[in-house]
Amino acid sequence: MAKTGTTTQGLRAAIERSGYYPALVAEAVQAAIGGEPVVSYVVHQETTFDANEVRRHVTVLVLTNTRFIVSHTDEQAADATSPTPYATTSTESVKLGRISSVVLSRVVANPEAYTPGQLPREVVLTIGWGAVSRLDLEPASCGDPNCEADHGYTGSSTADDLSLRVSEAGDGPDTVRQTLAFAQALSEATAASAVR
């Protein structure tokens, strides 16, 4: 479940409420934040099914006055490298000026009856800062259905560093609202950093 807010204490409480290795997650996130005040945050826990195993993953997004911080924590089953289950936590700190795109996709039921302020059924927040790009290629053609010449490839490159999907059905309406609020705060912060 995602949580958003504006204080370090609120962030810690949201991490604890997620119930997903809160001491480990909170320590990693706090180390990345340092002494900066928290402007906004989202804590999102996701459960996935991998063959016969249930795996949990938590993503913590934090906005400070100067940086966007993303933390991922995954649990792993015992394997050849570890006789006991273990968790992996990573954090990345990105200067606001490096963020190249904040994309918010909204899925709205019955669009013909939409009214301003109506809650979307789901939202997907995609944030790009140039660390990861997705390249989609397809064979190019000239439009002649009988042409057999090789026209090379055409495609597009998309910044795809982080994508977070929340839905009203799976995560609840508060989570959708909270993700919308975080996306707005991040968009405003990146716009302000571009002016400086």
Side-chain angles (χ1 to χ4, degrees):
M1 171 179 261
K3 300 291 179 205
T4 187
T6 58
T7 67
T8 303
Q9 294 82 10
L11 172 59
R12 176 65 189 233
I15 291 170
E16 298 226 358
R17 277 191 305 275
S18 80
Y20 183 78
Y21 306 122
L24 173 65
V25 173
E27 181 180 51
V29 170
Q30 188 56 52
I33 294 170
E36 282 193 86
V38 173
V39 173
S40 187
Y41 61 85
V42 174
V43 177
H44 182 259
Q45 183 177 334
E46 180 178 16
T47 303
T48 58
F49 300 93
D50 182 19
N52 294 331
E53 296 179 14
V54 175
R55 293 194 182 196
R56 296 179 299 165
H57 173 90
V58 68
T59 301
V60 180
L61 309 179
V62 179
L63 176 62
T64 72
N65 290 324
T66 62
R67 298 176 297 144
F68 165 68
I69 297 163
V70 60
S71 174
H72 295 286
T73 303
D74 291 289
E75 64 184 354
Q76 308 292 328
D79 59 23
T81 64
S82 176
T84 61
Y86 60 98
T88 304
T89 299
S90 64
T91 57
E92 183 172 1
S93 179
V94 181
K95 290 181 183 179
L96 290 177
R98 284 199 49 218
I99 295 179
S100 56
S101 66
V102 178
V103 179
L104 185 66
S105 300
R106 303 167 189 243
V107 177
V108 178
N110 302 314
E112 69 282 352
Y114 178 80
T115 58
Q118 181 179 334
L119 195 63
R121 184 172 67 195
E122 76 178 52
V123 295
V124 178
L125 175 60
T126 304
I127 304 165
W129 57 92
V132 178
S133 291
R134 183 180 64 231
L135 188 60
D136 294 321
L137 293 175
E138 61 185 42
S141 64
C142 66
D144 178 357
N146 297 319
C147 181
E148 294 183 15
D150 183 355
H151 294 286
Y153 289 89
T154 185
S156 62
S157 176
T158 308
D160 197 17
D161 295 307
L162 174 82
S163 190
L164 182 72
R165 177 189 171 272
V166 297
S167 70
E168 187 177 22
D171 301 294
D174 287 342
T175 301
V176 174
R177 279 188 203 91
Q178 293 162 348
T179 304
L180 290 169
F182 182 84
Q184 181 174 349
L186 182 60
S187 291
E188 291 171 357
T190 56
S193 76
V195 174
R196 288 183 221 163

